């Protein structure tokens, strides 16, 4: 640590509940490692206090905040500026206080792309974006996390996106939304209809199936029909190995859990607050602990 004599800074997590969050464990060691005199706090916020909490981020010494369930959507109208990708997705998970103006970002979506790249997929472009040109993807789910993932995949230049969800209507709505902004073909299917292209190179689970039970969002016989070079990414990170990942690994498919996305969304938020490169390996080690 630098032992800086500057004023104490603050940043925190706004949500309800927040006690379960990994964010302090991820962010505090990174702030400390760069000698930034800031504390990462948990700001549990009941709905009736949300407006006051958000506007309080303009206080001197406040870098900004992360936003989690249930406020990722409802904070948008409370901010001064919303980044175009976050506006498209309709969800903000990072707020930055810049000269008393609150700027909202979504780092979940680019965090997913960085995670996929870390696992060997796609290519890094000169502008820092990840390109998934040439890949096709099957996205399982159409909730909040899937929405960010769908925009991330579409923005990465993916060849084709299939959205598969329990309720077909939500998958259709998400597909229509993506097609308003992107040209890539997007198909929607219900999860009782597994007629999906087996040449798909990425399967992403953005449902909560596997979070609390041993179920898998994709039957093993369907997974078995995918090509051997298919990569399976489960956004769930706790448990670290879901049934889907176990099935994939048993079939010798490459697979990873959502820890890498958690890491990269946090690193991107850190960079927005501090304007400094995030100490990725320190954050990764903190998360692994
Ligand atoms: P939502 O509640 O918004 O969406 C849940 C999704 O799961 C919906 O598509 C829902 O389908 C589907 N689903 C739920 N239960 C079932 C079931 N029994 N059978 C089939 N489908 C089901 O949740 P989020 O989008 O916020 O989160 C989804 C997952 O992503 C969570 O597990 C979360 O932990 C993870 N996540 C990981 C992150 C990371 O950094 N790694 C970041 C954010 C989320 P339907 O529309 O039919 O209800």
């Amino acid at each position: 640590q630098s032992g800086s004599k500057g004023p104490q800074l603050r940043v925190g997590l706004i949500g309800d509940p927040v006690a379960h969050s990994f964010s302090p464990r991820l962010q505090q060691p990174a702030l400390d490692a760069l000698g930034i005199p800031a504390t990462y706090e948990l700001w549990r916020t009941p709905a009736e206090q949300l407006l006051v909490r958000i506007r309080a981020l303009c206080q001197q010494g406040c870098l900004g905040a992360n936003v989690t369930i249930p406020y990722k959507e409802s904070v948008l109208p409370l901010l001064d500026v919303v980044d175009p990708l976050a506006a498209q997705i309709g969800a903000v998970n990072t707020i930055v206080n810049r000269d008393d103006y609150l700027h909202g970002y979504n780092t979940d979506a680019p965090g997913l792309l960085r995670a996929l790249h870390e696992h060997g997929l796609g290519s890094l472009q000169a502008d820092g974006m990840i390109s998934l040109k040439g890949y096709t993807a099957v996205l399982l789910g159409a909730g909040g996390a899937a929405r960010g993932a769908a925009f991330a995949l579409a923005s990465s230049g993916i060849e084709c996106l299939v959205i598969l969800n329990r309720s077909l209507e939500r998958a259709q709505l998400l597909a229509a939304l993506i097609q308003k902004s992107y040209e890539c073909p997007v198909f929607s299917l219900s999860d009782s209809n597994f007629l999906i292209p087996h040449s798909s190179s990425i399967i992403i689970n953005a449902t909560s199936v596997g979070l609390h039970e041993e179920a898998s969002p994709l039957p093993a016989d369907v997974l078995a029909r995918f090509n051997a070079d298919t990569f399976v990414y489960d956004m769930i990170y706790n448990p670290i190995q879901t049934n889907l990942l176990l099935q994939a690994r048993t079939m010798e498919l490459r697979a990873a859990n959502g820890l890498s996305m958690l890491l990269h969304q946090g690193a991107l938020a850190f960079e927005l607050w501090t304007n400094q490169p995030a100490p990725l390996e320190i954050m990764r080690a903190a998360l692994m602990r």
Side-chain angles (χ1 to χ4, degrees):
Q1 295 191 25
S2 71
S4 164
K5 301 250 182 330
Q8 186 63 30
L9 305 172
R10 303 169 79 204
V11 58
L13 175 66
I14 296 171
D16 193 10
V18 290
H20 64 284
S21 172
F22 282 80
S23 291
R25 285 188 246 173
L26 185 64
Q27 299 293 354
Q28 193 62 56
L31 292 164
D32 295 346
L34 268 63
I36 298 168
T39 48
Y40 190 99
E41 301 170 4
L42 289 176
W43 296 328
R44 188 178 81 80
T45 307
E48 64 277 11
Q49 289 169 21
L50 183 63
L51 176 63
V52 173
R53 171 69 77 192
I54 295 294
R55 296 318 305 182
L57 298 175
C58 290
Q59 282 165 4
Q60 211 185 0
C62 185
L63 300 175
N66 278 136
V67 182
T68 188
I69 289 170
Y71 302 129
K72 285 188 183 182
E73 291 91 20
S74 50
V75 295
L76 265 81
L78 310 181
L79 304 174
D80 300 304
V81 184
V82 177
D83 174 71
L85 179 65
Q88 257 183 355
I89 298 169
V92 158
N93 76 327
T94 301
I95 301 174
V96 184
N97 175 22
R98 285 197 194 107
D99 302 323
D100 300 341
Y101 281 88
L102 299 180
H103 297 247
Y105 297 88
N106 186 304
T107 68
D108 285 330
L112 170 65
L113 295 181
R114 285 203 185 184
L116 293 176
H117 186 243
E118 179 181 304
H119 297 301
L121 280 76
S123 55
L124 181 63
Q125 305 297 288
D127 58 3
M129 304 292 282
I130 308 294
S131 166
L132 290 174
K133 276 204 171 68
Y135 288 83
T136 60
V138 174
L139 177 63
L140 310 175
R147 197 175 155 110
F151 274 100
L153 292 166
S155 71
S156 75
I158 201 125
E159 298 298 319
C160 172
L161 175 62
V162 180
I163 302 172
L164 192 120
N165 195 46
R166 177 176 58 180
S167 18
L168 176 61
E169 198 190 352
R170 284 184 93 186
Q172 288 170 330
L173 284 172
L174 181 54
L177 201 64
I178 299 293
Q179 295 210 288
K180 273 191 195 168
S181 310
Y182 295 97
E183 284 177 0
C184 79
V186 185
F187 300 97
S188 42
L189 294 174
S190 95
D191 71 356
S192 56
N193 178 3
F194 287 106
L195 293 172
I196 39 191
H198 300 130
S199 61
S200 298
S201 38
I202 314 173
I203 299 173
I204 296 176
N205 178 34
T207 74
S208 46
V209 179
L211 193 58
H212 303 297
E213 71 291 271
E214 287 200 3
S216 168
L218 213 52
D221 62 315
V222 175
L223 192 58
R225 283 186 257 141
F226 281 85
N227 286 356
D229 63 353
T230 300
F231 180 81
V232 180
Y233 192 75
D234 198 330
M235 283 172 62
I236 295 174
Y237 50 83
N238 187 15
I240 54 169
Q241 176 151 281
T242 58
N243 227 13
L244 175 66
L245 293 182
L246 183 61
Q247 283 171 351
R249 287 173 179 142
T250 306
M251 292 171 198
E252 297 186 358
L253 300 178
R254 290 172 302 146
N257 69 23
L259 269 178
S260 48
M261 176 178 168
L262 182 71
L263 170 70
H264 285 286
Q265 65 75 29
L268 288 162
F270 182 97
E271 289 171 5
L272 286 164
W273 296 320
T274 66
N275 283 320
Q276 298 193 48
L280 203 60
E281 293 317 314
I282 286 173
M283 297 176 91
R284 191 193 308 277
L287 207 52
M288 293 307 165
R289 275 200 296 276

